[in-house]
Amino acid sequence: MSVYYVTFGVKYADEPHPVNEIITNRAVVAIEAPSEEFARRVAFHHFDQYWSQLLPEEEGRQYAAKWGCYTAAHVFGQSIVWAGDTDTMLNLISTTQTVPREGATS
C-alpha cells in the first residue's frame, strides 16, 4: 500500500471546512491506498469536492514540512481516523500488557 496526502486550500484559513472543522489550510490527510486513482476516489468519498491536491507520500511530507502542516486524519480504505496528532493514536499498543480474564486465577 502507498500513502498519499490530501491538501486543502487557503479558503479554509478563514472559514470552517464543511466536512470537519479540524481541517484548515494547514491540514493534510494521509490516505493509505493501493493506487493514486483509488486514493483520489477515497478523497472524493470523504471530502466531496472540498480538497485541493493529492500528493504522493514523499511530496506530501515535503509539502507539510514546508507549510507547517499537521495531519488532521488518516484514512484506511473507507475508514477515517480524526485527530490533531494521529501519530500518537497510531502507535502500536503494547503487547506485553496482561489483561485479567474473568474467572482466571493468578
Side-chain angles (χ1 to χ4, degrees):
M1 290 276 185
S2 299
V3 175
Y4 299 88
Y5 283 85
V6 173
T7 67
F8 301 89
V10 296
K11 175 180 183 175
Y12 302 112
D14 299 321
E15 66 181 72
H17 192 276
V19 173
N20 190 319
E21 290 187 12
I22 194 172
I23 296 173
T24 69
N25 63 316
R26 295 281 189 235
V28 294
V29 170
I31 298 177
E32 190 172 313
S35 68
E36 183 175 344
E37 179 183 334
F38 187 84
R40 190 170 301 280
R41 283 189 272 146
V42 169
F44 276 110
H45 172 78
H46 287 290
F47 309 112
D48 198 16
Q49 77 269 12
Y50 305 109
W51 55 281
S52 179
Q53 300 178 78
L54 181 69
L55 304 171
E57 184 172 18
E58 186 56 37
E59 191 176 337
R61 287 182 187 275
Q62 291 172 6
Y63 175 93
K66 178 179 179 180
W67 297 106
C69 297
Y70 60 93
T71 303
H74 281 264
V75 179
F76 307 93
Q78 298 301 321
S79 300
I80 188 165
V81 177
W82 292 100
D85 183 6
T86 52
D87 292 336
T88 302
M89 293 179 64
L90 295 174
N91 284 336
L92 295 175
I93 296 172
S94 171
T95 57
T96 59
Q97 292 179 326
T98 57
V99 178
R101 293 186 179 169
E102 191 174 318
T105 59
S106 344

